[in-house]
Each structure stands twice: as structure tokens, then as C-alpha cells.
Amino acid sequence: EAGVAQSPRYKIIEKRQSVAFWCNPISGHATLYWYQQILGQGPKLLIQFQNNGVVDDSQLPKDRFSAERLKGVDSTLKIQPAKLEDSAVYLCASSFGRQGVYTGELFFGEGSRLTVL
Amino acid sequence: DAKTTQPNSMESNEEEPVHLPCNHSTISGTDYIHWYRQLPSQGPEYVIHGLTSNVNNRMASLAIAEDRKSSTLILHRATLRDAAVYYCILRDDRYSGAGSYQLTFGKGTKLSVIP
């Protein structure tokens, strides 16, 4: 079974530039998450989608970050303009997440490492 | 959100059992206890989860205290591949009615395995 796919794996940009990350979740997974992981810390949830609707984006810095999940499958996370403090690994995860079904498991991709200079 | 407390780091010798502790004194009755681990340069991966009873799977065992205020992840024979950061997480019960939920990660325990 294919896992969660993310691209690019690495990206280096100057501050104030823009960047986009792409995620393809496991087939059939209704719920998709974007996490930000700063070096030395645990992952922090940015946004959660259920199908193509946003469930929670309370920790997403909306002045510079945006995310979409068109058609309830792939998702894109964009940062514009980037700041130095956005340097982190951006992790995408998916789960089965159907109503009434509790699987207890999130599946993570390998992440996209962003360096802002 | 209910919080967990874990040691920052632990060491184990290869092929010996490892007991990773987690305190969660404010756990609610419907909070599931999850363990994930993160190998270097990888995303986190699921290890095990439980509610009240002890749980076993091919990767590990989860021992849950009777009062549920603490739990222990047990790796029966540590290998070098088990060197990772281990996260103990209580499932956030929000949105559970829709079948989806959130996991809030702390800093975890960095496990080093000595050959």
C-alpha cells in the first residue's frame, strides 16, 4: 500500500519569497493534516481537513499561510511571504477518519524540509 | 487539552527491554493513550494505542495504570532501529463525532540504543 507522498523533500528560499508544498494522502483517507515541526520540538498541527472541508485551522498563521484540499484528495500548503521563523519540516498526515470508525492511527509522510535564509 | 509528561531522554542497551514512562494525571475518561515514534529524518509513525486495558502488538506493549494517570510503553528487545523520539499523546476528543480527531504532540522522549 502506498504511503503519504510529499514533495518537495527539501526547499531553500530567501525570506519574503513564496513556497508551496504538496501532499497526496493514502487512498480513501478522508482526513488530512498539515503539521509544522521546528527543530527540537514535536509536530504542531497547522490545519486539519475532513474531505475537502476545513475542520480546524486555528493554529494556521493566516496572514501568510494558506492550504487547500480540492476534490478532497491532494492538498497544497503555501507560505507567502516566508519569514526566517518558518524554517521547519512540514509534515502531512492522513487518517481513515470516517464517522463512527476509530482506527487510532495517523499515517505521516516523510516531510518537506524548508530553510528560509 | 490533557497533557502528558515524559522524560527528555533515555538510554538502553541493545537487546534489552525498554520501559518508556508517561504521566497523564489529568486524563479524562474518554481519552485514548497513543504512542508514536519518530526516527531521524522521518515522519512520526504509529506504535500503539489503548484506552483502559493493556495492549500488545508486533511492535510493543502498552501498560496502562489502573487509575489511567500513567502508562508505560514497553519495547521487549531494543534494537538499533528503535533509536527514535517517542511521543506519548492523549487523543484530543474534539471532532470525534465526525470520525476524525487531532493529536497534539509534546517534545517526547529521545531513546538512544547502545550497541
Side-chain angles (χ1 to χ4, degrees):
Chain A
E1 178 184 271
V4 176
Q6 291 189 247
S7 66
R9 284 297 311 276
Y10 305 94
K11 189 74 174 178
I12 301 173
I13 61 173
E14 301 277 339
K15 60 183 179 183
R16 291 187 290 273
Q17 287 186 325
S18 63
V19 64
F21 302 110
W22 173 82
C23 172
N24 186 19
I26 292 173
S27 177
H29 279 194
T31 309
L32 185 146
Y33 310 79
W34 283 102
Y35 283 83
Q36 178 194 58
Q37 186 171 26
I38 293 171
L39 188 64
Q41 298 182 18
K44 169 190 160 186
L45 179 69
L46 293 176
I47 189 168
Q48 176 184 354
F49 292 93
Q50 178 79 3
N51 297 309
N52 60 349
V54 176
V55 174
D56 185 0
D57 62 357
S58 58
Q59 299 193 83
L60 187 74
K62 298 181 187 65
D63 58 334
R64 298 182 300 104
F65 286 65
S66 65
E68 61 182 9
R69 190 182 184 198
L70 299 176
K71 300 181 181 178
V73 182
D74 293 9
S75 178
T76 302
L77 176 71
K78 296 180 181 177
I79 307 174
Q80 181 179 11
K83 291 186 175 181
L84 297 177
E85 59 261 36
D86 297 332
S87 293
V89 176
Y90 291 85
L91 294 160
C92 179
S94 70
S95 70
F96 187 67
R98 301 275 184 220
Q99 186 167 2
V101 177
Y102 180 71
T103 65
E105 186 170 359
L106 266 63
F107 294 84
F108 283 82
E110 291 188 308
S112 295
R113 182 178 297 276
L114 174 66
T115 302
V116 182
L117 303 176
Chain B
D1 294 348
K3 303 292 185 190
T4 63
T5 304
Q6 300 178 253
N8 289 332
S9 62
M10 291 183 63
E11 276 188 355
S12 173
N13 292 318
E14 195 177 10
E15 298 189 5
E16 289 188 356
V18 182
H19 290 235
L20 295 161
C22 181
N23 288 318
H24 28 78
S25 58
T26 60
I27 190 171
S28 72
T30 54
D31 279 340
Y32 283 80
I33 302 160
H34 292 253
W35 284 83
Y36 279 72
R37 72 178 185 182
Q38 188 170 21
L39 302 171
S41 299
Q42 304 271 329
E45 65 174 341
Y46 168 84
V47 177
I48 200 165
H49 78 280
L51 183 62
T52 56
S53 303
N54 294 343
V55 184
N56 300 298
N57 66 21
R58 63 176 179 80
M59 288 181 70
S61 296
L62 175 60
I64 301 172
E66 198 168 331
D67 63 5
R68 301 213 323 127
K69 293 181 185 287
S70 65
S71 61
T72 302
L73 179 71
I74 302 166
L75 306 179
H76 297 286
R77 283 179 72 248
T79 68
L80 296 178
R81 194 195 174 276
D82 292 321
V85 177
Y86 286 79
Y87 298 98
C88 171
I89 306 162
L90 300 183
R91 187 199 77 172
D92 191 319
D93 220 22
R94 287 177 295 172
Y95 317 116
S96 60
S100 64
Y101 54 93
Q102 296 181 1
L103 295 179
T104 301
F105 288 79
K107 288 191 174 181
T109 298
K110 183 174 183 178
L111 175 67
S112 300
V113 179
I114 302 166

